[in-house]
Amino acid sequence: MAEHELSRKRQVLFIYSITCLIGVAMVFVAKALLMMIQLCTNLFYFQEFSFHERSPENHTLGIISVIIPVLGGLIVGVMARWGSKAIRGHGIPEAMENILERDSRIPRRITLLKPLSSAIAIGSGGPFGAEGPIIATGGALGSWIGQILPVSSYERKILLASGAAAGMAAIFGTPLSAVMIAIELLLFEFRAKSFVPVALATVIAATLRGVFIGNESFFQMPALGETSPIQLVVFLLFGAVMGLLCIVVTKSIYWIEDAFEKLPIHWMWWPALGGIAVGVIGLVEPRSLGVGYGNISMSLGGSLTIGAAVSILVWKFLSWAIALGSGTSGGTLAPLLTLGSAFGFIVGSGLSLMFPEWGIDPHAMALVGMAALFAGSARALLTAVIFALEGTKQPLGLVPLLGCCSIAYIVSSLLMKNSIMTEKIVRRGLQVPHEYYPPARKTQE
């Protein structure tokens, strides 16, 4: 018995050590992904071999720029057909599917193909963020290591989740929300055996991020004030509106995906067709191109006009929905944050003009809008709240964030069975847990 207990402790320490190494590795993987996106952007839009950070909206190619997303989509389609079909989509549903159906075994080639295809898709103007690809890449790395080392399927799941969470922490510098996204979307449980190794990986990744990537707040915004009772009521009502918007966004994505399924051509060509829409929309609204983190910062900082915010909201949504529905490679978090923050800024600005006595802050409304759209669409309530707090370092935003996100989550859950993350794999016949649970409760059930 004593020998068995000693062996168990050694295995636990072994898993903890491996997750720490994964946390270190994911900082360099995240840095490489960001550099690849910058390189692809410069090659596609500025014809320069450079890692200098530029936004595709600043290109001077004119109407010729329409073909760039088409070219990027064609490359991704070829990579998916002859490399791995698993690189299609935004990464998190595919990671969930591997956990639920394949004992957390992800093909090793995904570790290279996913970030490369995502860098090409985003660098060629795709309206995605880097978070989905880095979560998928980190999960693939953790799974790969778990297939090499003598570990159980449960321990391999922990390594997968550690890699995914460390990747998110390395990109955004938000270790706690990275842990929560692993719990809410990958582990579906909360206990020290799984929580601690994931936490270690994210802490290391977030710390090293300050050395190799930067340690400033990912999103900058003015300081928020205390929330008054009437403001809280407004935030709660706004949460109900955001819950309905979550449904519209999710249903639209899968309606477009279903439309692509009906096309009489091979799916390899779909990303190129989606690229046509991305390119044309990019002519109308250049700010719809690329990751668009600057759009989020402008909404949070209040440096937009209402007209500009409406333009970003409409055209970014159309570009993202069509591109994602076409099956290209890219993430969902940044587009959801962009749409939610723009919509929140619009509503907050309108209310502050019509009812100035209420003291509604458009910056605060943009903050809760971006978090609520993510919370309701992805069914990741705690992740959304904590991410907004960590990403902006605005502690006074806690009350409106909790209230608005909770209502959005409730409305979305009552009116829509599956989330934007689970709809795809549920359609394939998999049963997905809708919430995490403590192990004791699981035993009782």
Side-chain angles (χ1 to χ4, degrees), residues 244-254 317 320 336 339 373 377 420:
L244 296 176
L245 186 60
C246 293
I247 298 171
V248 172
V249 168
T250 302
K251 295 293 185 182
S252 299
I253 291 292
Y254 286 100
F317 170 68
W320 169 59
L336 288 173
L339 300 178
L373 190 60
S377 298
I420 197 171

Side-chain angles (χ1 to χ4, degrees), residues 120-311:
I120 293 171
I122 298 170
S124 61
F128 308 108
E131 67 292 327
I134 197 63
I135 288 174
T137 303
L141 177 63
S143 173
W144 180 13
I145 293 173
Q147 294 174 62
I148 296 173
L149 299 176
V151 299
S152 66
S153 60
Y154 176 78
E155 291 167 336
R156 187 162 51 247
K157 179 176 75 169
I158 292 175
L159 295 179
L160 186 157
S162 297
M168 180 174 174
I171 291 289
F172 291 109
T174 54
L176 185 54
S177 60
V179 173
M180 289 310 306
I181 200 171
I183 291 173
E184 292 189 301
L185 298 182
L186 299 176
L187 295 173
F188 293 109
E189 65 172 1
F190 183 86
R191 49 179 169 174
K193 186 177 180 180
S194 55
F195 173 86
V196 172
V198 175
L200 288 173
T202 59
V203 166
I204 290 173
T207 301
L208 293 180
R209 174 185 181 268
V211 177
F212 296 100
I213 299 177
N215 53 14
E216 66 281 352
S217 298
F218 201 84
F219 302 116
Q220 302 292 327
M221 64 180 297
L224 300 180
E226 296 284 353
T227 303
S228 68
I230 191 170
Q231 290 170 353
L232 180 59
V233 172
V234 172
F235 285 126
L236 295 179
L237 293 175
F238 182 59
V241 175
M242 292 305 300
L244 296 176
L245 186 60
C246 293
I247 298 171
V248 172
V249 168
T250 302
K251 295 293 185 182
S252 299
I253 291 292
Y254 286 100
W255 181 84
I256 293 174
E257 186 173 294
D258 290 340
F260 273 99
E261 293 280 355
K262 298 176 183 178
L263 293 176
I265 58 175
H266 194 277
W267 55 258
M268 181 188 77
W269 304 102
W270 298 351
L273 291 178
I276 296 175
V278 172
V280 172
I281 292 173
L283 285 179
V284 178
E285 176 50 85
R287 287 171 294 196
S288 67
L289 297 170
V291 293
Y293 293 138
N295 296 330
I296 302 171
S297 296
M298 287 190 294
S299 295
L300 294 174
S303 57
L304 288 173
T305 63
I306 295 180
V310 170
S311 179

